[in-house]
Amino acid sequence: MVNQLTAPFYNQLIAEFENAPKGENTNGDLSKSREDAFELFKAKGFPTSKDEDWKFTNLTPFLTDTFSLTIGDTDQQEVKKAIISATIPGLDAWLLVLLNGKIQFDLSVLPEVDQLIVLPLESVINTESYKNYITCKEAEGNRMYALNTAFFTDGYFLEVPKNVVLDKPVQIIHLYTASENMLFQPRHLIVVNENAKAELIDSAVSLGNAQRVLMNSVTQVTVKENANLIQYVIQDNAAEDRLINYNHITQERNSRYDNFMFNLPGAELIRNNLEIVLNGTATETHLLGLYLVAGHQLTDNHTAIHHRFPHCDSNEIYKGVLLDKGKAVFNGKVFVERPAQKTNAFQQNNNLLLSDKAQVFAKPQLEIFADDVKCSHGCTVGQFDPESLFYLRSRGISEESSRKLLVEAFMFDVTQKIENEAIKDFVQSLIYKKMENSLATII
């Protein structure tokens, strides 16, 4: 049943798809996938709090606005300023810039094609290789994923060739412009081939001039045999932004994937779905997340790790700091299927509430069908330890500094896992800045 409050936006999307010129939304071999996805979305509409995975995240208040799907003109000077402000200081990195989902090669700095292949998604969308990667069974029934599949037109294809170890990280800056409320639905595909290694930093900046921007993005990643990928996602967005992301990662034999997720105060809605499929033996996965939630912000992280083969390791640590009237949701699932013997899976979620008006809903889950495994999970929710606070105060440290030290110590498990010092310094500086602004209101 379609929610009556979101019906105008729903009807707008249905009309947009059905009235589009033939071929615009159904190009090439994707036509059936798009039609199937459209029919799913048309039948069920947007997710509601009646859906188990959206129980604590009510999308309705964020979807009652009118959103345009037509992109207007862009001020190039404003774009260049945004790139400079988003670039990580002191980081020696390649740069990939996208504007409203389209690659800006003239603003990007990329290595030679024998080191890294970067193409607009539309140029590979009908190739055999793309068709091999597009299938995503784990997303079946996901309505926002279906909406993206039905409508996406822009995005990038990034491939690290076999045996290539990139000499520098790649910073990917997504810029979005809006003179009115806008909906963007990019689709990205990343392939790290056999024995290759890459490090990617992902961030989005909206140049909306107080216009609301809804981003419903999908990223699909394949990490092949003996490959290694480190991915950082930094979500430091404006209050008018609403972020809905679905990231699907497939790992093959002997591969390693590290994901660092940082959600900072700003965007009024952040919803991240991170789905990992360990599709080979001896794979290794590390998920580390930190969410700072303030104001009336809603941040929701859903993760799922699928162990399907034996001798695989996964390690997940997500920590949250909540202030003001912020609301956070963490739902972490680990599935260990029967063939996945000798699995080692660890999951931990810790939350620190700095306001009695803040809310957190945490649900760590394990589903184990194998009998020779080592799996554990845990969750904590609490406030400042009064004894620790008293200890610091008794040493002559002010209450403000004591609180900051305790918060920094709480986050240490995540931030100190970043091996790249420039990225670590940048993330920590963002965190400290947000903390100073938010903690000042409760001290």
Side-chain angles (χ1 to χ4, degrees), residues 369-401:
F369 300 97
D371 53 15
D372 186 7
V373 300
K374 184 179 179 181
C375 300
S376 63
H377 68 169
C379 176
T380 62
V381 179
Q383 297 178 316
F384 278 126
D385 180 359
E387 293 185 4
S388 298
L389 192 59
F390 175 78
Y391 176 84
L392 293 173
R393 294 294 308 279
S394 67
R395 274 17 182 211
I397 302 174
S398 69
E399 182 175 357
E400 178 181 359
S401 297

mmCIF file of all heavy atoms in Angstrom, residues 369-401:
data_model
loop_
_atom_site.group_PDB
_atom_site.id
_atom_site.type_symbol
_atom_site.label_atom_id
_atom_site.label_comp_id
_atom_site.label_asym_id
_atom_site.label_seq_id
_atom_site.Cartn_x
_atom_site.Cartn_y
_atom_site.Cartn_z
ATOM 1 N N PHE A 369 24.611 -21.480 10.965
ATOM 2 C CA PHE A 369 24.149 -22.801 10.543
ATOM 3 C C PHE A 369 25.305 -23.795 10.453
ATOM 4 O O PHE A 369 25.088 -24.968 10.130
ATOM 5 C CB PHE A 369 23.438 -22.697 9.188
ATOM 6 C CG PHE A 369 22.238 -21.785 9.236
ATOM 7 C CD1 PHE A 369 22.333 -20.469 8.822
ATOM 8 C CD2 PHE A 369 21.025 -22.244 9.713
ATOM 9 C CE1 PHE A 369 21.235 -19.618 8.876
ATOM 10 C CE2 PHE A 369 19.915 -21.413 9.769
ATOM 11 C CZ PHE A 369 20.014 -20.095 9.353
ATOM 12 N N ALA A 370 26.529 -23.336 10.731
ATOM 13 C CA ALA A 370 27.695 -24.221 10.772
ATOM 14 C C ALA A 370 27.987 -24.562 12.232
ATOM 15 O O ALA A 370 27.596 -23.828 13.145
ATOM 16 C CB ALA A 370 28.901 -23.538 10.124
ATOM 17 N N ASP A 371 28.696 -25.667 12.465
ATOM 18 C CA ASP A 371 28.907 -26.098 13.850
ATOM 19 C C ASP A 371 30.344 -25.966 14.336
ATOM 20 O O ASP A 371 30.624 -26.191 15.512
ATOM 21 C CB ASP A 371 28.432 -27.544 14.032
ATOM 22 C CG ASP A 371 29.052 -28.503 13.022
ATOM 23 O OD1 ASP A 371 30.047 -28.109 12.386
ATOM 24 O OD2 ASP A 371 28.535 -29.619 12.869
ATOM 25 N N ASP A 372 31.267 -25.577 13.473
ATOM 26 C CA ASP A 372 32.665 -25.421 13.878
ATOM 27 C C ASP A 372 33.094 -23.984 13.584
ATOM 28 O O ASP A 372 33.787 -23.709 12.602
ATOM 29 C CB ASP A 372 33.545 -26.432 13.133
ATOM 30 C CG ASP A 372 34.987 -26.403 13.620
ATOM 31 O OD1 ASP A 372 35.269 -25.700 14.616
ATOM 32 O OD2 ASP A 372 35.832 -27.068 13.008
ATOM 33 N N VAL A 373 32.640 -23.076 14.440
ATOM 34 C CA VAL A 373 32.878 -21.656 14.201
ATOM 35 C C VAL A 373 33.236 -20.969 15.524
ATOM 36 O O VAL A 373 33.012 -21.510 16.607
ATOM 37 C CB VAL A 373 31.637 -20.956 13.601
ATOM 38 C CG1 VAL A 373 31.249 -21.576 12.270
ATOM 39 C CG2 VAL A 373 30.466 -20.996 14.574
ATOM 40 N N LYS A 374 33.770 -19.774 15.382
ATOM 41 C CA LYS A 374 34.038 -18.929 16.543
ATOM 42 C C LYS A 374 33.393 -17.575 16.262
ATOM 43 O O LYS A 374 33.923 -16.771 15.492
ATOM 44 C CB LYS A 374 35.548 -18.781 16.757
ATOM 45 C CG LYS A 374 35.904 -17.992 18.005
ATOM 46 C CD LYS A 374 37.418 -17.902 18.188
ATOM 47 C CE LYS A 374 37.765 -17.094 19.437
ATOM 48 N NZ LYS A 374 39.244 -16.981 19.606
ATOM 49 N N CYS A 375 32.235 -17.338 16.856
ATOM 50 C CA CYS A 375 31.465 -16.135 16.566
ATOM 51 C C CYS A 375 31.025 -15.474 17.876
ATOM 52 O O CYS A 375 30.665 -16.155 18.840
ATOM 53 C CB CYS A 375 30.216 -16.454 15.732
ATOM 54 S SG CYS A 375 30.570 -17.199 14.133
ATOM 55 N N SER A 376 31.053 -14.152 17.881
ATOM 56 C CA SER A 376 30.588 -13.418 19.057
ATOM 57 C C SER A 376 30.062 -12.068 18.634
ATOM 58 O O SER A 376 30.453 -11.519 17.608
ATOM 59 C CB SER A 376 31.727 -13.245 20.068
ATOM 60 O OG SER A 376 32.770 -12.457 19.510
ATOM 61 N N HIS A 377 29.156 -11.537 19.439
ATOM 62 C CA HIS A 377 28.663 -10.193 19.197
ATOM 63 C C HIS A 377 28.257 -9.571 20.523
ATOM 64 O O HIS A 377 28.020 -10.255 21.512
ATOM 65 C CB HIS A 377 27.512 -10.174 18.185
ATOM 66 C CG HIS A 377 26.247 -10.801 18.678
ATOM 67 N ND1 HIS A 377 25.051 -10.687 18.030
ATOM 68 C CD2 HIS A 377 25.992 -11.566 19.766
ATOM 69 C CE1 HIS A 377 24.109 -11.352 18.690
ATOM 70 N NE2 HIS A 377 24.658 -11.897 19.735
ATOM 71 N N GLY A 378 28.202 -8.261 20.535
ATOM 72 C CA GLY A 378 27.837 -7.563 21.762
ATOM 73 C C GLY A 378 27.413 -6.144 21.481
ATOM 74 O O GLY A 378 27.678 -5.588 20.412
ATOM 75 N N CYS A 379 26.726 -5.557 22.455
ATOM 76 C CA CYS A 379 26.222 -4.199 22.293
ATOM 77 C C CYS A 379 26.145 -3.526 23.656
ATOM 78 O O CYS A 379 25.742 -4.166 24.645
ATOM 79 C CB CYS A 379 24.842 -4.238 21.639
ATOM 80 S SG CYS A 379 24.064 -2.617 21.486
ATOM 81 N N THR A 380 26.536 -2.274 23.732
ATOM 82 C CA THR A 380 26.417 -1.505 24.972
ATOM 83 C C THR A 380 25.832 -0.137 24.671
ATOM 84 O O THR A 380 26.073 0.441 23.616
ATOM 85 C CB THR A 380 27.779 -1.316 25.671
ATOM 86 O OG1 THR A 380 28.656 -0.564 24.812
ATOM 87 C CG2 THR A 380 28.425 -2.656 25.994
ATOM 88 N N VAL A 381 25.061 0.367 25.627
ATOM 89 C CA VAL A 381 24.520 1.721 25.571
ATOM 90 C C VAL A 381 24.693 2.325 26.957
ATOM 91 O O VAL A 381 24.267 1.733 27.950
ATOM 92 C CB VAL A 381 23.030 1.732 25.174
ATOM 93 C CG1 VAL A 381 22.496 3.166 25.156
ATOM 94 C CG2 VAL A 381 22.813 1.071 23.824
ATOM 95 N N GLY A 382 25.336 3.487 27.033
ATOM 96 C CA GLY A 382 25.559 4.095 28.343
ATOM 97 C C GLY A 382 25.921 5.553 28.243
ATOM 98 O O GLY A 382 25.990 6.137 27.156
ATOM 99 N N GLN A 383 26.164 6.141 29.422
ATOM 100 C CA GLN A 383 26.565 7.540 29.506
ATOM 101 C C GLN A 383 27.983 7.606 30.047
ATOM 102 O O GLN A 383 28.655 6.581 30.203
ATOM 103 C CB GLN A 383 25.579 8.300 30.394
ATOM 104 C CG GLN A 383 24.152 8.317 29.832
ATOM 105 C CD GLN A 383 23.179 9.036 30.733
ATOM 106 O OE1 GLN A 383 23.197 8.855 31.949
ATOM 107 N NE2 GLN A 383 22.324 9.860 30.154
ATOM 108 N N PHE A 384 28.456 8.821 30.344
ATOM 109 C CA PHE A 384 29.797 8.966 30.898
ATOM 110 C C PHE A 384 29.929 8.166 32.188
ATOM 111 O O PHE A 384 29.011 8.146 33.026
ATOM 112 C CB PHE A 384 30.102 10.435 31.208
ATOM 113 C CG PHE A 384 30.551 11.240 30.022
ATOM 114 C CD1 PHE A 384 29.903 12.415 29.685
ATOM 115 C CD2 PHE A 384 31.619 10.834 29.244
ATOM 116 C CE1 PHE A 384 30.317 13.169 28.604
ATOM 117 C CE2 PHE A 384 32.037 11.580 28.160
ATOM 118 C CZ PHE A 384 31.384 12.747 27.846
ATOM 119 N N ASP A 385 31.079 7.523 32.346
ATOM 120 C CA ASP A 385 31.377 6.848 33.602
ATOM 121 C C ASP A 385 31.712 7.919 34.636
ATOM 122 O O ASP A 385 32.722 8.617 34.511
ATOM 123 C CB ASP A 385 32.570 5.911 33.408
ATOM 124 C CG ASP A 385 32.945 5.168 34.679
ATOM 125 O OD1 ASP A 385 32.289 5.392 35.717
ATOM 126 O OD2 ASP A 385 33.907 4.379 34.642
ATOM 127 N N PRO A 386 30.902 8.076 35.685
ATOM 128 C CA PRO A 386 31.151 9.151 36.657
ATOM 129 C C PRO A 386 32.489 9.003 37.366
ATOM 130 O O PRO A 386 33.121 10.009 37.724
ATOM 131 C CB PRO A 386 29.976 9.023 37.639
ATOM 132 C CG PRO A 386 29.422 7.655 37.431
ATOM 133 C CD PRO A 386 29.687 7.310 36.014
ATOM 134 N N GLU A 387 32.959 7.754 37.582
ATOM 135 C CA GLU A 387 34.246 7.562 38.242
ATOM 136 C C GLU A 387 35.392 8.049 37.365
ATOM 137 O O GLU A 387 36.348 8.661 37.866
ATOM 138 C CB GLU A 387 34.434 6.089 38.598
ATOM 139 C CG GLU A 387 33.473 5.588 39.667
ATOM 140 C CD GLU A 387 33.776 4.157 40.085
ATOM 141 O OE1 GLU A 387 34.789 3.594 39.586
ATOM 142 O OE2 GLU A 387 33.020 3.612 40.902
ATOM 143 N N SER A 388 35.308 7.772 36.060
ATOM 144 C CA SER A 388 36.355 8.244 35.147
ATOM 145 C C SER A 388 36.349 9.760 35.082
ATOM 146 O O SER A 388 37.419 10.394 35.056
ATOM 147 C CB SER A 388 36.123 7.658 33.752
ATOM 148 O OG SER A 388 36.194 6.259 33.769
ATOM 149 N N LEU A 389 35.153 10.349 35.054
ATOM 150 C CA LEU A 389 35.050 11.813 35.012
ATOM 151 C C LEU A 389 35.615 12.420 36.289
ATOM 152 O O LEU A 389 36.354 13.405 36.251
ATOM 153 C CB LEU A 389 33.583 12.211 34.823
ATOM 154 C CG LEU A 389 33.294 13.675 34.479
ATOM 155 C CD1 LEU A 389 33.989 14.073 33.176
ATOM 156 C CD2 LEU A 389 31.785 13.913 34.369
ATOM 157 N N PHE A 390 35.291 11.808 37.432
ATOM 158 C CA PHE A 390 35.810 12.303 38.715
ATOM 159 C C PHE A 390 37.328 12.185 38.772
ATOM 160 O O PHE A 390 38.020 13.086 39.260
ATOM 161 C CB PHE A 390 35.180 11.517 39.867
ATOM 162 C CG PHE A 390 35.748 11.868 41.219
ATOM 163 C CD1 PHE A 390 35.355 13.034 41.868
ATOM 164 C CD2 PHE A 390 36.686 11.047 41.830
ATOM 165 C CE1 PHE A 390 35.897 13.366 43.112
ATOM 166 C CE2 PHE A 390 37.232 11.375 43.065
ATOM 167 C CZ PHE A 390 36.827 12.536 43.704
ATOM 168 N N TYR A 391 37.860 11.067 38.252
ATOM 169 C CA TYR A 391 39.312 10.856 38.267
ATOM 170 C C TYR A 391 40.022 11.975 37.510
ATOM 171 O O TYR A 391 41.022 12.543 37.987
ATOM 172 C CB TYR A 391 39.638 9.504 37.646
ATOM 173 C CG TYR A 391 41.126 9.238 37.517
ATOM 174 C CD1 TYR A 391 41.863 8.735 38.584
ATOM 175 C CD2 TYR A 391 41.797 9.518 36.329
ATOM 176 C CE1 TYR A 391 43.220 8.501 38.475
ATOM 177 C CE2 TYR A 391 43.159 9.289 36.211
ATOM 178 C CZ TYR A 391 43.867 8.780 37.280
ATOM 179 O OH TYR A 391 45.215 8.571 37.170
ATOM 180 N N LEU A 392 39.516 12.310 36.322
ATOM 181 C CA LEU A 392 40.149 13.363 35.526
ATOM 182 C C LEU A 392 40.003 14.716 36.192
ATOM 183 O O LEU A 392 40.944 15.521 36.208
ATOM 184 C CB LEU A 392 39.534 13.382 34.115
ATOM 185 C CG LEU A 392 39.826 12.154 33.245
ATOM 186 C CD1 LEU A 392 39.027 12.219 31.949
ATOM 187 C CD2 LEU A 392 41.316 12.046 32.926
ATOM 188 N N ARG A 393 38.815 14.990 36.763
ATOM 189 C CA ARG A 393 38.602 16.275 37.435
ATOM 190 C C ARG A 393 39.527 16.413 38.650
ATOM 191 O O ARG A 393 40.024 17.514 38.934
ATOM 192 C CB ARG A 393 37.143 16.405 37.897
ATOM 193 C CG ARG A 393 36.108 16.486 36.769
ATOM 194 C CD ARG A 393 36.242 17.754 35.951
ATOM 195 N NE ARG A 393 36.264 18.949 36.753
ATOM 196 C CZ ARG A 393 35.181 19.555 37.256
ATOM 197 N NH1 ARG A 393 33.971 19.044 37.008
ATOM 198 N NH2 ARG A 393 35.299 20.649 37.965
ATOM 199 N N SER A 394 39.768 15.296 39.351
ATOM 200 C CA SER A 394 40.626 15.339 40.542
ATOM 201 C C SER A 394 42.079 15.585 40.187
ATOM 202 O O SER A 394 42.888 15.913 41.056
ATOM 203 C CB SER A 394 40.492 14.029 41.328
ATOM 204 O OG SER A 394 41.035 12.943 40.599
ATOM 205 N N ARG A 395 42.415 15.400 38.889
ATOM 206 C CA ARG A 395 43.786 15.671 38.423
ATOM 207 C C ARG A 395 43.926 17.091 37.878
ATOM 208 O O ARG A 395 44.902 17.422 37.221
ATOM 209 C CB ARG A 395 44.181 14.681 37.336
ATOM 210 C CG ARG A 395 44.760 13.326 37.750
ATOM 211 C CD ARG A 395 44.547 12.946 39.123
ATOM 212 N NE ARG A 395 45.145 11.672 39.510
ATOM 213 C CZ ARG A 395 44.612 10.902 40.429
ATOM 214 N NH1 ARG A 395 43.473 11.247 41.006
ATOM 215 N NH2 ARG A 395 45.212 9.792 40.814
ATOM 216 N N GLY A 396 42.930 17.915 38.139
ATOM 217 C CA GLY A 396 43.006 19.315 37.737
ATOM 218 C C GLY A 396 42.563 19.590 36.319
ATOM 219 O O GLY A 396 42.785 20.681 35.793
ATOM 220 N N ILE A 397 41.938 18.608 35.657
ATOM 221 C CA ILE A 397 41.460 18.789 34.286
ATOM 222 C C ILE A 397 40.032 19.324 34.331
ATOM 223 O O ILE A 397 39.195 18.816 35.097
ATOM 224 C CB ILE A 397 41.520 17.457 33.510
ATOM 225 C CG1 ILE A 397 42.948 16.919 33.498
ATOM 226 C CG2 ILE A 397 41.019 17.644 32.085
ATOM 227 C CD1 ILE A 397 43.086 15.534 32.889
ATOM 228 N N SER A 398 39.748 20.327 33.557
ATOM 229 C CA SER A 398 38.420 20.945 33.575
ATOM 230 C C SER A 398 37.358 19.935 33.134
ATOM 231 O O SER A 398 37.656 18.935 32.483
ATOM 232 C CB SER A 398 38.379 22.162 32.657
ATOM 233 O OG SER A 398 38.483 21.764 31.300
ATOM 234 N N GLU A 399 36.091 20.227 33.471
ATOM 235 C CA GLU A 399 35.003 19.324 33.097
ATOM 236 C C GLU A 399 34.881 19.225 31.581
ATOM 237 O O GLU A 399 34.660 18.140 31.031
ATOM 238 C CB GLU A 399 33.681 19.799 33.694
ATOM 239 C CG GLU A 399 32.532 18.860 33.377
ATOM 240 C CD GLU A 399 31.243 19.249 34.059
ATOM 241 O OE1 GLU A 399 31.250 20.225 34.837
ATOM 242 O OE2 GLU A 399 30.228 18.583 33.799
ATOM 243 N N GLU A 400 35.039 20.359 30.882
ATOM 244 C CA GLU A 400 34.943 20.349 29.422
ATOM 245 C C GLU A 400 36.021 19.467 28.814
ATOM 246 O O GLU A 400 35.745 18.618 27.961
ATOM 247 C CB GLU A 400 35.059 21.775 28.882
ATOM 248 C CG GLU A 400 35.018 21.854 27.370
ATOM 249 C CD GLU A 400 35.153 23.279 26.856
ATOM 250 O OE1 GLU A 400 35.256 24.205 27.686
ATOM 251 O OE2 GLU A 400 35.179 23.456 25.632
ATOM 252 N N SER A 401 37.278 19.648 29.271
ATOM 253 C CA SER A 401 38.378 18.848 28.733
ATOM 254 C C SER A 401 38.233 17.386 29.111
ATOM 255 O O SER A 401 38.561 16.489 28.319
ATOM 256 C CB SER A 401 39.717 19.390 29.247
ATOM 257 O OG SER A 401 39.938 20.716 28.802
#
